[in-house]
Amino acid sequence: MSKHYDLISIGAGSGGLSIVERAASYGAKTAVIEAKELGGTCVNVGCVPKKVMWYGAGIAQGLKDAQDYGFNIDLDGVVNGEKAGKLNWEKLVMKRENFIGGILDWYDGYMAEAGVDVINGNAKFLDNKTIEVVTDEGTETYTADNIVIATGGRPIIPTDIEGAEYGIDSDGFFQDLDEVQPQKVVVVGGGYIALELAMLMDGLGSDVSVLHQAWPVLEGFDGTIQKALRKQMEDDNITLYDDEIIDRIDKQSDSKLTIHFKDGNSISDVEALIWAIGRRPNTDNIGLENTDVELDPRGMVVVDDKEKTSVNGIYAIGDIIGKAPLTPVAIAAGRRLGDRLYGGKPERIMSYENIATVMFTHPPIGTIGMSEEKALEVYGDKVKIYQTDFVPLYHQMTRHKVKTHMKLITLGAEEKIIGCHIIGLGADEMLQGFAVAIRMGATKADFDDTIAIHPVSAEELVTMK
């Protein structure tokens, strides 16, 4: 006999946990089904462990910068028989995983306190209302008035390149590289995941190459951001292969890899090959063929502006709807869906416009709204651009000069701000407040009328001419 709930979420990532928690807070009987750890990609193999490693790379650079501030730090010296400043990779990974373990322990207790049933197993639709779950103990079926698909995505490893299986994907970066830091790393991809991993590994001391195989670096981002990040990567001695296309990958006798290109050139002695060429939605193994849920050609679930699928009572949120694959977006969508379904708040609809996002490269990038290129395409001469670049005060004191670039994109006579793009020290923290202002319809005059905080980089956004 099937067990019935008011709402079931398939997937316990950021979106799935948010919807069941919010629905339960209104008195709904809820459950979440998950075959792996709670928290999904973000907590386990994404945002959280990546940010820990990003901080580590920043500290590595900070040790070098400290010498320029007058600290007596001899990074060429020896401490306890090892080179001073040498990273203990295994210790960093251990502390990172212990931190994640604490989050997972918290989730277990929090879900119980929230009144959410956690079902560990693989879920599969039997029809539009019934879910089968295979667990270690056997098979159970569940029904619900409302079902939310929040299964997220997974990284892609190519199947048409001989030897591609010798590499790891972005999940494997956090799961497989646990004992020894690879000294020679090749990252394949030109998107934000590829460049974040490449720059943090460079910061931690690895020799890094990036192969983006004729695709633009950071495609879709503002051109100024693209150019500034590329220059910084070159300044940091990351090798960029722009047009080389991978032909095959061979494993050497010492287990290192050789990457062969179609033009006959190659890279040898590669200790870690990381594929970061995109992700696909986890919609191909949950029995959607047994339902009337519509998918688009990419395998994304088709939803309306309220996250409703083509089936009454089935909703989808997060990476699988192809709108904005970001953790805070999935959380916000889940909470708003819970408010609408059980909180009596029909007006709580998720807006997918003007979503601020940050990329944890070195330096970080913060962006919201239209790029200059897109704005000019849509609005033409109604667009006015304000921009500046400078070396921030911190780096005025260091030999490692990392420039900050800022751009405001305005529209019409009132100069409403429709885009803000920052790359530089502190961009990750400064964008949040400006994102509030831009979502509220701020104009350039509003920025100009705001008294600057001095001396900080963010003041340039309200003093820009």
Side-chain angles (χ1 to χ4, degrees), residues 96-332:
R96 183 192 78 200
E97 294 307 301
N98 286 343
F99 176 67
I100 293 171
I103 297 175
L104 299 181
D105 290 342
W106 176 83
Y107 270 137
D108 287 336
Y110 181 67
M111 287 294 106
E113 291 175 8
V116 176
D117 289 346
V118 177
I119 303 168
N120 299 115
N122 291 287
K124 181 179 180 179
F125 280 95
L126 297 181
D127 55 42
N128 287 335
K129 288 293 184 183
T130 310
I131 301 167
E132 177 185 81
V133 181
V134 179
T135 69
D136 292 338
E137 288 74 35
T139 301
E140 299 287 344
T141 58
Y142 300 87
T143 60
D145 297 328
N146 293 299
I147 299 172
V148 179
I149 308 170
T151 47
R154 63 186 186 274
I156 297 169
I157 290 183
T159 58
D160 58 346
I161 297 177
E162 180 185 347
E165 69 275 10
Y166 296 137
I168 58 176
D169 56 28
S170 55
D171 288 358
F173 175 83
F174 298 107
Q175 296 169 333
D176 300 336
L177 303 180
D178 53 353
E179 295 181 357
V180 179
Q181 177 182 357
Q183 294 304 307
K184 188 169 184 177
V185 177
V186 171
V187 181
V188 185
Y192 72 92
I193 294 175
L195 301 185
E196 286 176 334
L197 295 179
M199 295 194 84
L200 74 83
M201 288 303 294
D202 173 73
L204 291 171
S206 296
D207 175 8
V208 179
S209 298
V210 174
L211 315 179
H212 52 98
Q213 301 200 97
W215 287 90
V217 170
L218 288 184
E219 185 176 18
F221 280 68
D222 187 88
T224 295
I225 298 297
Q226 292 177 323
K227 293 172 186 174
L229 185 66
R230 182 185 177 92
K231 184 178 187 307
Q232 189 59 54
M233 293 172 72
E234 292 170 344
D235 289 348
D236 291 343
N237 295 316
I238 294 174
T239 303
L240 291 161
Y241 290 81
D242 292 328
D243 300 314
E244 288 80 355
I245 305 298
I246 298 173
D247 180 54
R248 73 179 193 280
I249 296 132
D250 294 334
K251 180 173 283 192
Q252 302 171 184
S253 59
D254 58 2
S255 294
K256 296 178 183 179
L257 304 177
T258 297
I259 300 171
H260 298 273
F261 299 120
K262 291 185 182 297
D263 64 6
N265 291 319
S266 64
I267 306 174
S268 59
D269 298 324
V270 176
E271 295 181 25
L273 167 63
I274 304 170
W275 297 103
I277 57 174
R279 297 175 65 84
R280 61 167 52 96
N282 288 324
T283 56
D284 53 352
N285 55 2
I286 57 173
L288 288 178
E289 67 275 9
N290 301 322
T291 73
D292 298 310
V293 173
E294 181 183 353
L295 301 178
D296 72 11
R298 302 168 296 167
M300 301 287 182
V301 180
V302 177
V303 296
D304 64 12
D305 62 356
K306 296 183 178 179
E307 288 82 38
K308 180 180 172 296
T309 71
S310 52
V311 177
N312 287 330
I314 300 182
Y315 300 83
I317 58 176
D319 294 4
I320 59 170
I321 64 174
K323 293 187 177 181
L326 299 167
T327 292
V329 172
I331 293 171

